Amino acid sequence: MALIIPIVFITVFGFAIFKKVKIYDEFSAGIGEAVKFSLSIIPCLAAIFMMCELFETSGLADWFTKLLSPVFSALGIPSELTKLVLIKPFSGSGSLAYLNEIIEKHGADSYVARCACVCFGSSETVFYISAVYFAGTKTKKLAMPIACVLISTFVTTIIACLLCKVT
């Protein structure tokens, strides 16, 4: 496994030499494009970070947690995971803090902690990834892809909790 990256690098380098590509010039041009792209996504990322902080500070996270806990419990998701499930699409570090809190409170081998770990590991920060991905495209129709990912994340959460209960 340690040789995969060097082999890929040598293969690409060899192919570039074979095709008579000016490697350094193309590498420099690629870095220039990467810097431009990085600068173009800063406003999107700033908006996501501010939305996460406002969601938590305003009390909306707690309100949604209280509102959705019974629904989650009825679907087989422990109510202790509600805040984790709500925060994960917005913030990886925020959801990691909730995961640590759940593990400390319930113990690492508890059903709730196992569910939390599987849910944390099998989901992604949807809005962060969307901000990064869609910032580089001209697409403005974001509702459908984000809705699909959020629905699939919720379904995988239900399945993860079911699997943790079975094992």
Side-chain angles (χ1 to χ4, degrees):
M1 288 302 284
L3 294 176
I4 289 177
I5 302 255
I7 288 171
V8 168
F9 178 77
I10 291 169
T11 304
V12 169
F13 191 75
F15 187 72
I17 290 172
F18 176 74
K19 289 289 195 173
K20 298 180 177 149
V21 172
K22 295 180 181 180
I23 298 169
Y24 184 76
D25 293 341
E26 293 300 320
F27 182 73
S28 297
I31 289 174
E33 291 297 317
V35 169
K36 288 178 191 173
F37 176 73
S38 297
L39 292 175
S40 74
I41 66 171
I42 288 174
C44 298
L45 295 178
I48 293 296
F49 293 142
M50 284 189 272
M51 286 175 36
C52 290
E53 188 62 30
L54 285 172
F55 184 66
E56 187 65 35
T57 305
S58 68
L60 278 175
D62 293 329
W63 184 79
F64 274 113
T65 299
K66 288 177 187 171
L67 179 72
L68 294 175
S69 286
V71 176
F72 282 17
S73 292
L75 293 171
I77 302 171
S79 60
E80 296 89 348
L81 301 186
T82 305
K83 208 168 213 180
L84 174 71
V85 172
L86 288 176
I87 295 298
K88 180 64 177 185
F90 294 99
S91 170
S93 58
S95 58
L96 181 60
Y98 287 124
L99 176 64
N100 288 333
E101 184 180 304
I102 290 168
I103 291 171
E104 287 176 8
K105 184 176 181 181
H106 297 281
D109 292 330
S110 68
Y111 166 68
V112 173
R114 285 194 323 267
C115 286
C117 289
V118 174
C119 292
F120 179 85
S122 65
S123 61
E124 190 51 73
T125 52
V126 175
F127 292 100
Y128 175 81
I129 297 298
S130 298
V132 171
Y133 177 74
F134 288 115
T137 66
K138 302 293 182 205
T139 305
K140 298 298 179 202
K141 297 178 182 177
L142 305 177
M144 187 57 77
I146 291 174
C148 289
V149 173
L150 289 174
I151 290 168
S152 67
T153 298
F154 189 67
V155 170
T156 58
T157 300
I158 294 169
I159 293 169
C161 292
L162 175 67
L163 290 174
C164 287
K165 189 176 277 191
V166 172
T167 58

